[in-house]
Amino acid sequence: MAYGYTIYFSCRSNNRVLCWDPDSGRADILAGEGSPFTQPQQKLKDPYGLAVDPTGGVIIADKLNNRIVRIKGGTFTVVPTLDREDRSHRTSLRDVGFPVTPAGLSLEPDGTLLISYSEDGTIRRLLPNGTLKVAIGIHPMYNYVLSGCEEIVPPPRSNYFPINRPTSIASEGYGHTYFIERGYQLVRRLDANGVLSCVFKPNPHISSPPQGVGATVRTSDYAPPFPTSVALNRHGIVYVADAAHGCVWEVDEPNGIARCIGMSDRSGNVKSQAGPAALAFGPDGVLWILDFGEKRVWGIRPARPDGTIGQTWKRVVESYAIESLSGLATKPEGGGIAIRSA
């Protein structure tokens, strides 16, 4: 079948962002070494999260360069960001007015960009005037006591609750923001009322899930020991990459059940540390997985596009050509993948 869109993904260890056409199988380097952008100021350093804006521009969290960049039409631009709220709180060891290590990205329906700043312990909104506004978290200068695995945090305390190394983030107009709290290996949800909670219960009873596609667990009994990415489909259902067990979970939050819908190993075997690093949905409902263990991108499609939980998912295509092109490599704690429609 024809997909009619382009998939972008980060190759963090090689400091590249690649683009792949699932129809032709062609892969190219969009940015980084080997791309048309050869100036020193255009080099990437650990590109992490990706997003595509409404005009088709590809937005990159250039993590260790501490900046957000945008690529469109052969133009490489650094996105202006200014942390006016936090400027007076910076120590002499950091750039004044500029939080460090952007990781996850998510575009909200109004075009606002959400950015998780991993080492700052904050998630911020980038407003149209370039100002960064803290959505959740607290500057590390004031984070004297770590939060630990506190399960539910109501407002107003959630407004300044410390979060430990946020990475992947998903917020697409459904009233909730989901993110990975990498420091504690948690999958967090911030709801529209400001309540911060955990999608999977911290310190669960079960350390290893039942094996195989279709297996289910209760979210009160099991939590992914190495979650790397969260994604929302167009119906607001949350999906979580479980890198430690090489699988993807579909979460039925009202009923507290998670179901395995896809595994890195096509035979369905659990493989330690061989699994998905990033998730993104195409406009046709296909869930695309950047898999650092298997060194490929692969996709799975639900049997029906109606958003019903508990459907059978079928693997549709995978990108063997990418490894031969670029030596695909990423870092195990996560990465970025994004879709641009034709």
Side-chain angles (χ1 to χ4, degrees), residues 16-19 26 28-44 71 73-76:
R16 294 168 170 168
V17 172
L18 283 79
C19 54
R26 178 182 172 84
D28 294 294
I29 300 171
L30 176 73
E33 185 177 349
S35 76
F37 303 109
T38 58
Q39 299 301 313
Q41 66 271 23
Q42 295 174 329
K43 291 184 177 180
L44 303 178
I71 295 175
T75 302
F76 183 106

Side-chain angles (χ1 to χ4, degrees), residues 108-262:
E108 298 186 309
D110 64 358
T112 300
L113 183 65
L114 272 176
I115 309 169
S116 65
Y117 284 92
S118 180
E119 298 305 318
D120 267 38
T122 57
I123 294 172
R124 303 169 187 245
R125 284 185 169 89
L126 179 60
L127 305 182
N129 65 357
T131 297
L132 287 169
K133 183 175 179 62
V134 176
I136 184 174
I138 184 171
H139 187 279
M141 185 174 180
Y142 301 107
N143 187 358
Y144 297 112
V145 179
L146 295 178
S147 62
C149 296
E150 194 164 344
E151 189 172 356
I152 299 177
V153 185
R157 197 160 60 90
S158 60
N159 296 333
Y160 50 85
F161 186 75
I163 53 178
N164 192 349
R165 296 181 62 198
T167 53
S168 174
I169 183 170
S171 178
E172 300 172 5
Y174 304 107
H176 301 326
T177 297
Y178 295 86
F179 62 93
I180 303 296
E181 188 174 6
R182 177 72 179 84
Y184 292 121
Q185 309 288 20
L186 298 177
V187 183
R188 290 280 198 186
R189 178 185 62 231
L190 181 68
D191 72 17
N193 297 315
V195 177
L196 182 66
S197 58
C198 295
V199 174
F200 294 87
K201 185 178 179 65
N203 303 314
H205 304 295
I206 300 173
S207 58
S208 296
Q211 297 188 13
V213 173
T216 61
V217 294
R218 297 206 63 83
T219 56
S220 58
D221 295 334
Y222 172 78
F226 197 3
T228 51
S229 184
V230 288
L232 295 169
N233 70 2
R234 59 177 176 264
H235 303 280
I237 300 169
V238 65
Y239 296 80
V240 178
D242 183 351
H245 294 123
C247 62
V248 178
W249 296 101
E250 177 184 68
V251 184
D252 180 354
E253 291 187 272
N255 294 308
I257 295 172
R259 178 172 174 270
C260 177
I261 61 168

Side-chain angles (χ1 to χ4, degrees), residues 285-304:
V286 174
L287 177 58
W288 294 97
I289 297 99
L290 171 62
D291 195 314
F292 67 81
E294 298 297 314
K295 297 184 184 290
R296 66 177 186 261
V297 175
W298 47 282
I300 50 177
R301 180 193 301 275
R304 301 183 306 280

